[in-house]
């Protein structure tokens, strides 16, 4: 996604991490989010693509040291398991691991006070020809 092209109006808040390969963040879905009026009129639900964007922004902000400079290469999987409504706080827990190919995989679990909302698996890779940071 190009810089500035995010569908989110609000900011993802990055929280202190428990370790190098974990991360945490949160996002509060304001009533003023620009994606809500058309999704769905009279019964607004925060779109799944916006949950993926929350995961992406959180992942980019918590890249492990060795992964610095890596960019999103793929959204490997998504599963939407519960609705997210205006006013909800979305808690985002991230776990990182290195893949056998040398890329970095981020597994994000997103939840609200009602329980799980989504799981997203992202893969980050260094641009071709660039070595990973040592």
């Amino acid at each position: 996604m190009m810089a500035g092209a995010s569908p989110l109006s609000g900011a993802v808040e990055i929280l202190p991490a428990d370790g190098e390969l974990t991360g945490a963040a949160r996002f509060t879905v304001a009533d003023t989010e620009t994606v809500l009026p058309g999704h769905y009129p009279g019964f607004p639900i925060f779109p799944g693509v916006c949950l993926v964007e929350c995961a992406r922004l959180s992942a980019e902000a918590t890249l492990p040291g060795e992964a610095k400079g890596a960019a999103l290469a793929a959204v490997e999987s998504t599963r939407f398991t519960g609705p997210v409504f205006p006013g909800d706080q979305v808690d985002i827990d991230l776990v990182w691991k290195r893949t056998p190919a040398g890329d970095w995989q981020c597994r994000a679990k997103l939840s609200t006070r009602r329980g799980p909302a989504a799981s997203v698996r992202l893969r980050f890779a260094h641009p071709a020809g660039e070595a990973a940071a040592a």
Side-chain angles (χ1 to χ4, degrees):
M1 189 170 280
M2 297 182 329
S6 176
L8 305 179
S9 300
V12 172
E13 178 185 0
I14 304 304
L15 303 172
D18 289 335
E20 172 73 7
L21 298 179
T22 63
R26 69 177 156 227
F27 181 81
T28 300
V29 180
D31 293 341
T32 56
E33 278 293 330
T34 57
V35 297
L36 292 172
H39 199 268
Y40 292 97
F43 188 71
I45 298 176
F46 196 56
V49 69
C50 293
L51 293 173
V52 174
E53 178 69 351
C54 287
R56 180 189 73 85
L57 292 171
S58 300
E60 287 179 346
T62 62
L63 281 165
E66 290 183 50
K68 295 297 183 208
L72 181 65
V75 176
E76 293 184 331
S77 72
T78 59
R79 175 173 280 167
F80 304 108
T81 54
V84 177
F85 300 111
D88 280 348
Q89 176 179 291
V90 179
D91 296 308
I92 307 159
D93 292 313
L94 306 150
V95 176
W96 287 93
K97 76 173 190 175
R98 192 102 191 233
T99 70
D103 293 341
W104 287 89
Q105 184 183 82
C106 179
R107 292 177 182 257
K109 300 285 184 185
L110 296 85
S111 61
T112 68
R113 60 182 160 70
R114 287 179 305 283
S119 60
V120 179
R121 192 171 68 229
L122 306 172
R123 185 171 44 84
F124 287 77
H126 286 88
E130 287 187 26

